[in-house]
Amino acid sequence: MLSLPLLQGLALAIAALVYRSRAGAAFATAVASVGMTVPSLALLALLLIVFGLGVTPSVTMLAFYATLPILTSAIVGLQAVPPALVEAARGLGMPRW
């Protein structure tokens, strides 16, 4: 159960790192979109080969499918912040991060 918050934090960190770069944001969004198109039963079959029977393949698959929408939503959300708002925040003394 600890893996899901860690992966969500990782997705937010990746989004924070790539949202300024058009190429990086496009690549991360494309990878997440392609990952979401993989059928869940096919991914489960692949994970069963790697991890065997048990809870681990199911938890891994659920964490995978829960993390990708967070990544794409965080990138789109960070890109949607108006530049005037960022400038106002910097004027108030907020750091870049």
Side-chain angles (χ1 to χ4, degrees):
M1 287 299 166
L2 184 62
S3 64
L4 190 57
L6 290 176
L7 288 174
Q8 290 172 348
L10 178 66
L12 291 175
I14 291 171
L17 290 174
V18 301
Y19 84 96
R20 287 189 185 102
S21 164
R22 284 188 168 236
F27 178 74
T29 304
V31 168
S33 297
V34 168
M36 288 300 296
T37 62
V38 175
S40 58
L41 288 177
L43 181 62
L44 184 60
L46 289 173
L47 291 174
L48 282 174
I49 293 170
V50 175
F51 294 114
L53 293 175
V55 178
T56 305
S58 301
V59 171
T60 305
M61 183 184 69
L62 290 173
F64 176 76
Y65 282 117
T67 302
L68 296 179
I70 293 171
L71 176 63
T72 56
S73 297
I75 291 172
V76 171
L78 287 171
Q79 288 177 337
V81 175
L85 188 61
V86 174
E87 184 179 344
R90 287 193 182 147
L92 292 172
M94 293 201 59
R96 189 172 179 154
W97 288 93

